[in-house]
Amino acid sequence: MAEPSPAKVYSTGGLYRRWLGPILANDQGLDPEQLTQAALSALSQTSLRRDWPGVSAVLAAIALDLQRHDLRLEQVLFGCRFRNPVGLAAGFDKNGVAASIWDRFGFGFAELGTVTWHGQTGNPRPRLFRLAAEQAALNRMGFNNNGAEVMRRTLEKQALPSPGQRPAVLGLNLGKSRITPLEQAPDDYALSLELLAPLADYAVINVSSPNTPGLRDLQDASQLRRLVERLRRLQGCPPLLVKIAPDLEDDAIDGLARLAYEEGLAGVIAVNTSLDRFGLDGRVLPKTGRSLAEEAGGLSGAPLRQRALEVLRRLRATAGPALPLIGVGGIDSPEAAWERISAGASLVQLYTGWIFKGPDLVPNILDGLIGQLDRHGFRHVSEAVGSGVPWQ
């Protein structure tokens, strides 16, 4: 076998594959949560020191490697200018520690959180598991985060440009504190949003995580309407989106689409992690010795791809083209991203696929989207949204 070229080995993606590839190819070994925390610690220090000469030079090299600039990929949605349609999904940068540098990794936007009003430790460990062969993960984190007040200080310390003036749009994903009773959820969400709204380009109401008891009950139309109306009353409320579960029945998906339209929501994010095991019920986690059927938590990654696509198509069919949709779940290739855009997503988000495939996934997707625009004769990515045109 020929030796890889130095450019490939020492590119951002090449280094990632060389050092982390063997770890990510194995279910066991270094705990995925510890690995994530180590990465975020390094990213946090980098974000705070991004203007230091040595650090800024490294970030510039990463940006040169991973960013793509093409006016055909730029969009203005719900008042936000997205330089490209690929974003980092909520759940990775829970506390916003790297908020100022996600654009360097090629992302057009990043969603911070999930953040709750009360800081909380989340569920007992172990609570995050790799399924390497399936390019998937099981998590039952339970909204572990430092709380809204700490996030505000963290973001202020990074001296971010004002909303609308950032190289990457920053969204804020809000959840309910575990200790807050369900009937008090609107006030709990409102406290977080009121404090953090001045720092957010948009905000997401997360009512779909499977790892906080009772949270998914807030997807009920009457409950969600009450929550949305409470948040909309806040002064300076940013554009509001809602993130939904993949496990909803069709009638519930239709109802949420209608509610989003009636309440003037900025968009819907489809989907969160799933309680479905997608035929992997008997798959055993080496760390616990139990099967996926026996384990609590939400499944993400490649097994979720088809269901996420089905939910997106349903939303598009019910809501029509006026409601912006963000596709997430099982997007790990340019083809998967195009599939979601063609089905009606104006934007897509990455998490599990980005972890397994590495930082090259973002520019690979952007290059792939540009190639598809050329092949199909589209002048702009917005023309591809909901077109139903397959990958060529």
Side-chain angles (χ1 to χ4, degrees):
M1 182 186 297
E3 288 294 319
S5 69
K8 290 293 184 183
V9 172
Y10 295 109
S11 68
T12 309
L15 290 169
Y16 186 93
R17 287 188 295 274
R18 185 174 187 177
W19 296 108
L20 292 180
I23 295 173
L24 297 174
N26 192 335
D27 289 355
Q28 302 189 73
L30 188 60
D31 180 74
E33 185 173 356
Q34 291 178 337
L35 186 61
T36 301
Q37 289 174 340
L40 284 169
S41 178
L43 290 168
S44 173
Q45 295 305 310
T46 301
S47 186
L48 291 170
R49 295 165 173 79
R50 65 188 182 277
D51 295 327
W52 290 19
V55 176
S56 64
V58 171
L59 287 173
I62 291 172
L64 184 65
D65 188 23
L66 300 180
Q67 287 181 345
R68 298 292 186 267
H69 302 285
D70 192 307
L71 291 175
R72 292 174 294 173
L73 296 180
E74 291 193 9
Q75 299 174 89
V76 177
L77 300 164
F78 40 89
C80 300
R81 180 174 293 277
F82 295 83
R83 295 192 178 182
N84 72 62
V86 179
L88 177 68
F92 188 79
D93 193 357
K94 292 176 180 291
N95 296 301
V97 299
S100 73
I101 59 173
W102 287 119
D103 67 292
R104 310 309 206 280
F105 292 87
F107 290 110
F109 66 110
E111 199 167 298
L112 311 176
T114 298
V115 63
T116 55
W117 175 243
H118 297 282
Q120 50 193 41
T121 58
N123 292 321
R125 300 189 189 195
R127 54 192 182 182
L128 180 61
F129 307 89
R130 274 190 301 272
L131 287 82
E134 294 83 4
Q135 298 283 283
L138 181 75
N139 98 78
R140 47 171 177 261
M141 303 296 287
F143 287 167
N144 58 306
N145 74 104
N146 294 333
E149 291 179 327
V150 174
M151 177 183 269
R152 172 146 186 163
R153 293 196 295 270
T154 298
L155 296 177
E156 289 175 340
K157 194 173 181 181
Q158 292 174 74
L160 300 169
S162 300
Q165 301 178 24
R166 299 163 178 166
V169 169
L170 290 179
L172 176 68
N173 189 291
L174 302 168
K176 184 189 77 69
S177 304
R178 191 182 187 98
I179 63 173
T180 300
L182 208 60
E183 60 271 15
Q184 296 174 21
D187 289 336
D188 187 81
Y189 281 87
L191 285 168
S192 296
L193 183 57
E194 187 172 30
L195 183 69
L196 293 167
L199 299 169
D201 291 290
Y202 70 88
V204 178
I205 305 168
N206 187 344
V207 289
S208 51
S209 170
N211 300 318
T212 296
L215 184 77
R216 287 189 170 191
D217 292 345
L218 294 173
Q219 292 179 119
D220 173 78
S222 61
Q223 294 262 33
L224 184 57
R225 195 181 301 275
R226 187 169 66 99
L227 175 53
V228 170
E229 290 174 352
R230 174 70 178 89
L231 297 181
R232 296 279 304 265
R233 292 201 301 268
L234 294 174
Q235 185 175 3
C237 180
L240 283 178
L241 294 85
V242 64
K243 186 169 186 176
I244 68 172
D247 307 319
L248 293 170
E249 298 292 336
D250 287 348
D251 288 348
I253 296 170
D254 295 344
L256 284 168
R258 287 191 292 269
L259 183 148
Y261 177 79
E262 292 165 1
E263 292 294 330
L265 287 177
V268 177
I269 301 178
V271 291
N272 214 314
T273 59
S274 180
L275 291 172
D276 198 318
R277 296 305 182 239
F278 302 104
L280 299 174
D281 303 68
R283 170 69 151 87
V284 173
L285 296 178
K287 187 169 290 187
T288 67
R290 294 191 295 270
S291 69
L292 286 181
E294 299 172 292
E295 293 285 1
L299 194 65
S300 65
L304 190 54
R305 176 175 170 176
Q306 186 57 39
R307 178 55 185 164
L309 179 63
E310 291 169 359
V311 173
L312 186 76
R313 285 175 172 157
R314 186 86 191 189
L315 284 169
R316 175 76 176 192
T318 302
L323 182 69
L325 303 177
I326 301 179
V328 58
I331 299 176
D332 58 4
S333 66
E335 294 92 331
W338 177 262
E339 178 183 67
R340 219 62 62 93
I341 288 171
S342 179
S346 295
L347 305 168
V348 297
Q349 291 180 324
L350 314 178
Y351 186 166
T352 306
W354 185 64
I355 298 297
F356 278 109
K357 297 295 178 67
D360 278 349
L361 180 60
V362 176
N364 286 346
I365 287 176
L366 296 175
D367 289 341
L369 295 181
I370 292 167
Q372 290 301 300
L373 296 182
D374 290 338
R375 288 186 180 88
H376 294 291
F378 292 131
R379 294 167 296 176
H380 191 268
V381 68
S382 61
E383 296 179 9
V385 174
S387 65
V389 174
W391 172 270
Q392 285 188 1

